């Protein structure tokens, strides 16, 4: 699907900003990561996007390549970030066909709404494996190539749930806290070797699967949710793309070990307040009909 440039990129960036650079993106066919990749390719980079669905990933790669004449975008489907050998093969192919790897976006993730009470160990493990083990495997698979780059950068797509905790998101909060921790370790260990490592933490992004899953309700509920954000609106993919371009550009060369929250200040007042509209009130949705919270005196 074609998108106008104004949908995914601000007009302030130079056309050839990333000329000669190569980006490796896990979750690259997803709503947010595909747009991050689109912005990088539009500004001169070539890219390799990774996904589990072969058809979806290859289709996304072909579409992204249309944003700039001569762009090279490889789509590698059937790649499971939980399996390091699968990622190593993908990274090797990317480096061979595109000439190396300069930028990495670790964006593969899993999410669904479930209470701690209803969550099975397998459900918890599934998210931890995709988000945490997948991020670790991405680091291990791409680092040999990053260390050869004169401009090596890694961005991890995280979240803000673990800052305060959030109902129905205990598994994701645990996973993203681990991703943030891995980011810090890479910043400290590989910063002296020329690799910067940073997190982007999106808030609710309009017209994405994640927003539809977490922000239950109709248009009125979404409007109510937007009013509760200090900037008065939901985020957009362009907000995340511009943050990505900044961190990968020379303007972000001294930013390392940082968590860049892009949510309009919503994390300052989140937790139970962040879900839904008037129809989803805390703690009512966690209790049986008519049940009152048990308060100990």
């Amino acid at each position: 699907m074609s998108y106008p440039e104004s949908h995914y990129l601000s007009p302030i960036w130079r056309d050839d900003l990333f000329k000669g650079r190569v980006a490796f993106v896990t979750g690259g066919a997803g709503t947010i990561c595909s747009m991050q990749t689109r912005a990088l390719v539009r500004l001169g980079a070539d890219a390799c996007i990774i996904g589990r669905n072969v058809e979806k990933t290859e289709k996304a790669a072909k579409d992204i390549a249309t944003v700039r004449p001569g762009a090279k975008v490889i789509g590698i489907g059937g790649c499971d970030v939980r399996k390091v050998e699968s990622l190593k093969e993908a990274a090797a192919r990317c480096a061979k066909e595109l000439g190396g790897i300069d930028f990495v976006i670790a964006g593969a993730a899993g999410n669904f709404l479930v209470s701690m009470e209803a969550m099975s160990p397998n459900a918890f493990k599934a998210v931890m494996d995709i988000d945490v083990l997948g991020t670790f495997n991405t680091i291990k698979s791409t680092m040999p190539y990053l260390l050869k780059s004169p401009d090596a950068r890694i961005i991890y797509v995280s979240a803000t749930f673990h800052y305060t905790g959030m109902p129905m998101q205990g598994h994701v909060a645990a996973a993203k806290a681990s991703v943030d921790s891995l980011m810090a370790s890479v910043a400290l260990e590989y910063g002296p070797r020329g690799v910067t490592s940073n997190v982007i933490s999106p808030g609710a992004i309009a017209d994405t699967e994640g927003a539809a899953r977490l922000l239950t309700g109709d248009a009125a509920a979404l409007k109510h949710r937007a009013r509760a954000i200090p900037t008065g609106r939901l985020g957009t993919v362009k907000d995340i793309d511009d943050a990505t371009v900044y961190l990968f550009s020379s303007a972000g060369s001294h930013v390392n070990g940082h968590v860049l929250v892009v949510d309009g200040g919503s994390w300052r007042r989140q937790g139970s307040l962040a879900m839904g509209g008037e129809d989803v009130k805390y703690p009512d949705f966690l209790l049986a009909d008519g049940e009152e919270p048990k308060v100990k005196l």
Side-chain angles (χ1 to χ4, degrees):
M1 178 179 179
S2 297
Y3 296 88
E5 187 172 324
S6 59
H7 179 77
Y8 64 89
L9 193 65
S10 292
I12 62 173
W13 308 109
R14 190 178 74 241
D15 283 350
D16 61 349
L17 185 62
F18 298 129
K19 184 178 180 180
R21 301 301 186 215
V22 175
F24 182 91
V25 185
T26 66
T31 312
I32 292 177
C33 292
S34 67
M35 290 298 172
Q36 290 174 291
T37 309
R38 189 178 297 263
L40 298 177
V41 172
R42 169 62 184 83
L43 297 178
D46 291 326
C48 178
I49 64 172
I50 310 302
R52 294 186 67 183
N53 185 301
V54 175
E55 181 180 0
K56 180 180 179 181
T57 304
E58 292 179 351
K59 182 179 179 181
K62 291 178 181 178
D63 184 50
I64 292 169
T66 65
V67 303
R68 177 175 55 83
K72 297 178 182 178
V73 182
I74 302 170
I76 303 179
C79 183
D80 188 342
V81 296
R82 296 170 295 184
K83 299 177 180 179
V84 70
E85 291 304 322
S86 182
L87 270 175
K88 285 182 176 180
E89 291 176 5
R93 178 181 168 188
C94 175
K96 180 179 180 179
E97 295 187 22
L98 300 181
I101 297 175
D102 304 286
F103 304 150
V104 172
I105 297 176
N111 193 357
F112 45 87
L113 291 174
V114 63
S115 68
M116 293 293 290
E117 184 175 14
M119 191 188 313
S120 69
N122 282 340
F124 182 82
K125 184 177 183 299
V127 171
M128 293 296 288
D129 282 354
I130 295 171
D131 287 41
V132 184
L133 181 60
T135 295
F136 176 78
N137 288 342
T138 300
I139 295 165
K140 295 292 287 185
S141 300
T142 60
M143 190 57 71
Y145 306 100
L146 288 171
L147 290 173
K148 298 176 183 179
S149 169
D151 196 25
R153 315 283 176 89
I154 305 180
I155 288 174
Y156 317 82
V157 181
S158 188
T160 64
F161 304 140
H162 52 296
Y163 302 165
T164 59
M166 185 178 293
M168 318 296 283
Q169 290 287 276
H171 50 325
V172 181
K176 294 308 187 183
S178 298
V179 169
D180 287 8
S181 182
L182 284 170
M183 174 276 293
S185 294
V186 171
L188 291 170
E189 294 188 23
Y190 289 98
R193 301 175 70 182
V195 182
T196 67
S197 171
N198 296 288
V199 154
I200 290 178
S201 293
I205 303 300
D207 302 320
T208 63
E209 182 181 349
R213 184 185 300 116
L214 295 176
L215 302 180
T216 58
D218 55 17
L222 289 176
K223 183 178 180 180
H224 172 85
R225 174 68 181 92
R227 282 175 57 85
I229 298 172
T231 55
R233 66 173 177 85
L234 297 177
T236 66
V237 290
K238 183 165 68 173
D239 294 323
I240 308 305
D241 296 351
D242 284 338
T244 302
V245 173
Y246 160 64
L247 288 175
F248 281 162
S249 75
S250 59
S253 63
H254 200 51
V255 182
N256 191 29
H258 182 63
V259 176
L260 178 57
V261 181
V262 186
D263 76 344
S266 183
W267 72 275
R268 293 286 184 181
R269 59 178 311 275
Q270 65 173 23
S272 60
L273 295 175
M275 300 182 66
E278 290 295 333
D279 57 331
V280 183
K281 293 182 178 180
Y282 179 86
D284 296 352
F285 69 93
L286 297 171
L287 302 173
D289 290 342
E291 182 181 356
E292 293 295 322
K294 293 179 175 63
V295 179
K296 295 182 180 179
L297 299 178

